Amino acid sequence: MKKSITKVFYISVITVALFIIWGIIPAETLPKGNLNHVTTIIQAFIVDRFGWFYLISATAFLLFSIYLIFSKYGNIKLGKPEDKPEFSYVTWFAMLFSAGMGIGLVFWGAAEPLSHFYNPPYGEAETAEAAKTAMKYSFLHWGLHPWAIYATVGLALAYFKFRKQASGVVSSILQPLFGNKVKGPIGTTIDTIVVFATVFGVATSLGFGAIQISGGFSYVFGFDQTILLQLIIIAIVTVLFMTSAMTGLSKGIKYLSNINLITAILLLVFVLVLGPTEFILNFFTTSFGNYVQDLPSMSLRMSPFNEENMEWTNNWTIFYWAWWIAWAPFVGTFIARVSRGRTVKEFVIGVLLVPTIIGAIWFTVFGGTAIQLDFYQGTNIIEQINTYGEEVALFAVLDHLPLSTLISIIGIVLISTFFITSADSATLVLGMQTTGGNLDPSNKVKFVWGIIQSATAAVLLWQGGLDALQTASIIAAFPFSIIMILIVISLVKSFREDAKNIESFRRKKFIKEIKNNIK
């Protein structure tokens, strides 16, 4: 174990511990120096001053991903010429879906479109136009842009790890630009930022997952939604995901990801069939068309002449872009790990299109049902959300459908399995990033990171500091967005050299064949 552990491991553990200690210090003890206060000020500064930078960067990563699909680099394999994909398409897509946005889709599937319906980015609320706008912006926030961010990091990691035999840590991608300097303090700093963003990003999501599971038990079965219930849920899930993590990628995560996909499809079909089916299908068709048509203008919309609209963009779109960039090291590392043997074109198309389409269908089914219930039937689900929180949005919608208890139980199971796979995947990624890119980090290393993640989520839930740590991880997105730009430059540089070598090899092979034919 000791030989494989790097300095990043020790620095990261100490940094995380210090932030947790800072996060649990009561606000009254440090009125202007508590974590929540300081990180909120920093985040507000970054969003206000550099919101334009996030919008342009996210759009640039999307354009870069689309370019790669049609470029001459599309046939380059992420691995040696003889390498074959380790997982089938179904399992691969299931892993992408589970690691990338599993808990988030379940948490926000009904809540976000409904929120935009009552508080749209522009125009009059609670109208047919507001419903269309709400859905296309939900597609924007969970569609092509975030997956392009993930694809950029994941592609670079897979390419350098499996084709160039690099170490597999994020800093190794930049070796074509900085040479061996990435093996010194520069590389250590980059990899520490990666681990920092991953730990706090995942711990925050685990906290939200525990809140939603407890919200489901409270809404469906009448349990008291207490911090004790949430801590018990975290403890149970920790045992489950640590058990899964110890079995390895080809067993635990693979099987759970497939279970996730089956359960998610089952829940989706239930709501689609038992809900307003015709309305959902019509709504999806028009919303997806609006999303594709308005994608350029939505991608770069800042509203500099309307302060209220600008505030909406800051609170939603720019916040999301920063959040996805903060998650990119984690998700990118994981999808790189499961994508060996695929071509650049195959990788980008799979990562971009499949999750985007699945996400759009998901939001239309659950968000569309929520809007239809409120808009046409006056159920006032929004009041339940305002009273009990966003975590009950899914269950408030299901409560108005036939077989509501059964479907709600399936929903709780889905959240739980997504919870487990997200933590399981993050444990693997953190192990890789702190052991020099080891594809199969030791169980001891995974155990340490698993305990740290769960302890972080539990302590922050107990102290009510999840928002502060979520903000802290988003702040980490700012330096990583700059690192991502360097990753694109380094990747293109390596692609060009690779393309030249491939062309040179083909010419030599062609000339050799001609000579052999002449003889």
Side-chain angles (χ1 to χ4, degrees), residues 74 114 128 179 213 245-246 257 300 339 363 444:
L114 202 58
I213 293 173
M246 299 308 167
S257 295
L300 300 172
S339 300
F363 272 100
K444 291 182 180 179

Side-chain angles (χ1 to χ4, degrees), residues 7-8 160 166-167 169-192 483 486 490:
K7 289 188 293 184
V8 175
F160 280 94
S167 64
V169 295
V170 172
S171 60
S172 67
I173 302 172
L174 302 180
Q175 188 153 6
L177 298 181
F178 299 110
N180 289 328
K181 290 182 180 179
V182 296
K183 297 180 180 179
I186 293 177
T188 300
T189 301
I190 291 171
D191 294 332
T192 301
I483 293 171
L486 296 176
S490 180

